[in-house]
Amino acid sequence: MSTNQVTVNLERRGDLSLLLIDNPPVNAISPPVIEQLARAIEAFEQDKGSRALVLACAGRTFVAGGDITAFDRPGFSAAAFNGLLARLEALDRLVVAALHGTAL
């Protein structure tokens, strides 16, 4: 996979959903990752047959921070990420983060 390609996938595994972030090399949170996470969470919210959401990352590390290059962009705001976290927290089903390697 190219280091420029951001991938967030949601897949059903039985009655669980796996949300996998694959943004090498350190799975940094960036505006494209936030957009893709929002779409995946929306799909999970609509899938009432899934009992829980497992949030995991590909590679050797869990999310190891934010994409610092985004911090200097005009109009940068953490509001979208904070809203995403609030959505996860408000879900009516269990959410588990499978941490490994470096995690922030």
Side-chain angles (χ1 to χ4, degrees):
M1 173 177 284
S2 164
T3 57
N4 294 330
Q5 185 177 4
V6 176
T7 305
V8 174
N9 286 313
L10 179 69
E11 66 178 67
R12 272 293 286 277
R13 294 193 179 178
D15 59 356
L16 300 177
S17 291
L18 173 65
L19 193 158
L20 185 68
I21 299 170
D22 187 1
N23 186 22
V26 295
N27 293 314
I29 296 294
S30 65
V33 171
I34 293 168
E35 286 178 25
Q36 291 183 33
L37 283 169
R39 285 194 298 269
I41 291 167
E42 182 176 338
F44 174 75
E45 288 170 330
Q46 305 223 353
D47 181 2
K48 298 300 182 189
S50 184
R51 294 181 36 188
L53 179 66
V54 177
L55 179 61
C57 291
R60 296 178 35 198
T61 184
F62 194 74
V63 173
D67 177 357
I68 61 172
T69 64
F71 298 172
D72 289 334
R73 293 183 190 144
F76 171 79
S77 171
F81 183 60
N82 291 336
L84 187 69
L85 294 176
R87 276 177 78 185
L88 281 171
E89 193 172 325
L91 285 171
D92 61 351
R93 290 167 278 170
L94 181 65
V95 177
V96 176
L99 305 177
H100 72 284
T102 306
L104 178 66

